[in-house]
Amino acid sequence: MIAPAAFEPLSPGAFLLRSGRVYADRIAVVDGGFSATYARFLDRCLRLAGALRAMGVAEGGRVAVLAPNTHVMLEAHYGVPYAGAVLVALNTRLTSTDLAGIVAHSGAGVLIYDHEFEAVAREIAAQAGGDLRLVRAGRADDQYERLLDAAAPWQRAVADERGLISINYTSGTTGRPKGVMYHHRGAYLQALAMTLGARLDAESVFLWTLPMFHCNGWCFPWAVTAAGATHLCLRRFDAGQVWKLIHESGVTHFNCAPTVLVMLAWHSGARAPGRTVRVATGGAPPTPAILERMAMLGVEVTHLYGLTETFGPAAICEWRGDWSRLGIEEQARLKARQGVGNVVSRELRVVDGAGRDVPADGATLGEIALRGNNVMLGYYRDEIATRKAIPDGWFRTGDLGVMHPDGYVEIRDRSKDIILSGGENIASIEVERELSAHPAVMEAAVVAAPDEKWGEVPVAFVTLQEGAAATAGELIAYARGRMAHFKVPARVVFGELPKNATGKIQKFVLRERARTIMQEK
């Protein structure tokens, strides 16, 4: 017999219920001129749940939110689940047509939107069809605030911890966006893993540079609250503003893509704050130049790895103390690895086409496979895609990598980014890493371009550091001295790199540019 007191469904909403009592008088949220203690933050989220209930949102109903990193988006991460509803956080950088498709596919009946997106929200409602209720938010006189003022605090208990808490849509760069289904249990456990991995505590000040719509902000809306730390909202990213907040607002933590680190590292306002600031980065391995520069600025960088399908970071490059005595180049090589599963993840695997583990020799290529409580339930209304992604109980990431003897995984490339040249496989990440080691290079991206003789050849797109100079011939010669000749870029193109809403480089755009460039030569 199992005693009733021995089980309680897991849901991240429990973190705010606790912090609202334990840290009632401490500042939970700062968003420009808005601030709230944990007691007030909890009350607002419970009132949001009450307002949604009064609007007729049923259990399991979908509530879409279109807002920057503001207190409104943060409150939705609690108020929507408290109402028993499912959160659909929308990418603010998509077109109204794309957003309308997501709203329609998810079945959202309510759209809470920031006042800056008034026109977009109207277009979404017109295109999505159905009876979509619009709620404007972000200012003291908006409908959102009136609804909260009129509502009574309310909470629907979570009966099934494996029930839906949110649907997050993939970027759709290789096809129609897919709705990734998150469950309460996974969000709760992943948030705890992020709290521990980031070393958050009640004295932490977390700056929101990572979009909350991206994998629910890697579950940090719940993780920061679990620690009783302060959420410092940032409506839009600005490198100068980030450095200002680090120095004036006591920022201790933030998360971002490596491209954002690049913008911060060489910004004119960059200077060490006199204390350690912890940053988690993912999407691409940090280069030696970035790690060295950030270390000089007092910023400690941790490399994370994951996907939308894994609640954000499922792996962490767990740092070992003795590695800190190594040279920066060797530290960078180790830190570039994706690492090991976080504390709630199952052990990572690297498998061959038949689903068998490849040798842990740091050389044999395979596909990274994941399983555990922080893996999605599946793709919403897409059973075929779900079965393809999880053919045997292990989620296939599409990332090709190797398993090192010490159990750390390292990505060599996305399966679609491997360059097949003259019968040889070229990992674009390897070429990017070597080019980024050049002192004039700020960041680099390498893609395949069609070639009549070799089938495909690598083409490099490079952004130089401010004030630095280098020619294409110089970089090609530099690469030729550091790697096999067949891996050296056939062309080097200078300019700003296209990026998506989370700062990741859009290689599908670069592939089209490379195709055009090679056809014109």
Side-chain angles (χ1 to χ4, degrees):
M1 185 184 77
I2 299 176
F7 175 78
E8 186 72 21
L10 301 179
S11 177
F15 299 137
L16 182 53
L17 295 177
R18 176 182 185 273
S19 291
R21 296 188 302 270
V22 177
Y23 304 110
D25 60 343
R26 302 194 63 170
I27 296 298
V29 185
V30 177
D31 179 12
F34 173 93
S35 67
T37 62
Y38 264 104
R40 185 184 177 207
F41 182 29
L42 172 59
D43 180 68
R44 287 177 61 84
C45 293
L46 291 172
R47 287 180 182 274
L48 174 55
L52 292 173
R53 181 193 188 197
M55 290 169 63
V57 175
E59 184 173 9
R62 278 60 165 151
V63 177
V65 181
L66 180 66
N69 284 349
T70 64
H71 68 91
V72 174
M73 180 62 90
L74 192 58
E75 288 162 0
H77 276 78
Y78 292 92
V80 173
Y82 283 162
V86 178
L87 175 63
V88 183
L90 300 174
N91 185 333
T92 59
R93 298 185 182 179
L94 295 179
T95 66
S96 59
T97 300
D98 290 335
L99 292 171
I102 289 172
V103 168
H105 183 265
S106 69
V110 175
L111 171 61
I112 300 172
Y113 66 93
D114 184 86
H115 62 92
E116 287 190 357
F117 298 100
E118 176 79 33
V120 176
R122 298 289 177 188
E123 291 173 7
I124 291 171
Q127 296 179 51
D131 186 18
L132 182 65
R133 177 92 177 258
L134 298 180
V135 178
R136 188 174 61 193
R139 295 177 300 197
D141 60 343
D142 278 329
Q143 182 188 10
Y144 178 85
E145 295 298 330
R146 296 196 299 272
L147 287 172
L148 263 61
D149 289 341
W154 187 73
Q155 180 195 4
R156 185 189 297 273
V158 175
D160 181 9
E161 63 180 16
R162 296 274 291 172
L164 273 179
I165 189 171
S166 66
I167 304 175
N168 289 290
Y169 281 80
T170 59
S171 61
T173 56
T174 58
R176 180 176 59 83
K178 296 189 286 290
V180 178
M181 298 188 289
Y182 284 13
H183 45 92
H184 287 263
R185 177 182 177 84
Y188 180 98
L189 293 171
Q190 179 74 350
L192 288 182
M194 297 300 96
T195 303
L196 179 62
R199 288 178 279 175
L200 290 165
D201 60 34
E203 303 303 316
S204 300
V205 177
F206 184 88
L207 178 62
W208 274 105
T209 50
L210 178 79
M212 289 188 210
F213 63 69
H214 181 54
C215 309
N216 294 122
W218 295 355
C219 291
F220 274 80
W222 301 306
V224 174
T225 299
T230 298
H231 296 267
L232 183 54
C233 297
L234 188 64
R235 180 171 280 268
R236 56 182 56 84
F237 176 81
D238 176 84
Q241 179 68 3
V242 169
W243 281 113
K244 186 174 186 290
L245 291 170
I246 287 174
H247 289 286
E248 297 181 4
S249 299
V251 172
T252 60
H253 295 76
F254 64 92
N255 298 338
C256 63
T259 51
V260 174
L261 283 182
V262 169
M263 288 186 276
L264 290 169
W266 284 282
H267 188 267
S268 58
R271 58 186 176 86
R275 66 181 186 283
T276 298
V277 176
R278 295 190 172 96
V279 178
T281 190
T287 65
I290 282 289
L291 291 176
E292 186 171 16
R293 175 65 175 161
M294 298 312 282
M296 290 171 56
L297 293 169
V299 178
E300 180 183 294
V301 180
T302 297
H303 187 197
L304 304 177
Y305 164 72
L307 305 91
T308 304
E309 290 87 344
T310 62
F311 293 72
I316 179 172
C317 188
E318 203 75 66
W319 195 248
R320 300 180 182 178
D322 55 322
W323 291 350
S324 297
R325 294 190 292 270
L326 301 171
I328 190 66
E329 287 281 345
E330 182 62 11
Q331 285 190 38
R333 186 188 68 78
L334 292 169
K335 191 163 283 193
R337 302 188 299 177
Q338 279 58 42
V340 295
N342 69 36
V343 295
V344 303
S345 297
R346 283 282 298 271
E347 184 179 358
L348 276 63
R349 297 175 64 202
V350 179
V351 300
D352 61 20
R356 297 179 299 241
D357 290 279
V358 302
D361 56 9
T364 306
L365 203 65
E367 185 174 3
I368 297 173
L370 305 170
R371 177 185 174 95
N373 290 300
N374 53 352
V375 172
M376 66 172 180
L377 291 170
Y379 296 115
Y380 183 58
R381 293 170 55 187
D382 198 338
E383 185 176 347
I384 293 175
T386 300
R387 291 184 181 277
K388 183 178 179 181
I390 312 174
D392 54 3
W394 286 83
F395 170 66
R396 299 301 199 276
T397 64
D399 288 321
L400 302 180
V402 298
M403 177 68 74
H404 286 277
D406 62 1
Y408 280 58
V409 166
E410 181 181 4
I411 289 180
R412 291 296 164 85
D413 224 334
R414 290 286 295 173
S415 57
K416 64 177 179 292
D417 291 336
I418 286 287
I419 302 166
L420 304 175
S421 184
E424 298 282 358
N425 289 344
I426 303 173
S428 63
I429 288 178
E430 179 187 358
V431 185
E432 290 162 1
R433 187 179 303 151
E434 297 299 341
L435 287 172
S436 296
H438 190 281
V441 173
M442 186 163 71
E443 56 184 343
V446 175
V447 298
D451 183 84
E452 291 183 3
K453 180 178 181 180
W454 302 110
E456 292 180 339
V457 291
V459 172
F461 292 83
V462 171
T463 302
L464 296 178
Q465 293 187 34
E466 187 175 354
T471 65
E474 179 183 343
L475 291 183
I476 289 173
Y478 177 81
R480 192 176 293 273
R482 295 171 66 94
M483 65 181 76
H485 287 192
F486 70 87
K487 299 179 181 180
V488 173
R491 296 284 295 275
V492 173
V493 182
F494 295 102
E496 186 175 351
L497 304 181
K499 296 165 186 172
N500 67 12
T502 60
K504 290 184 179 180
I505 295 169
Q506 296 176 310
K507 286 197 169 182
F508 71 99
V509 174
L510 295 181
R511 277 191 284 269
E512 287 303 313
R513 290 183 188 175
R515 182 186 298 275
T516 301
I517 288 169
M518 296 304 287
Q519 287 173 347
E520 293 174 349
K521 70 174 184 178

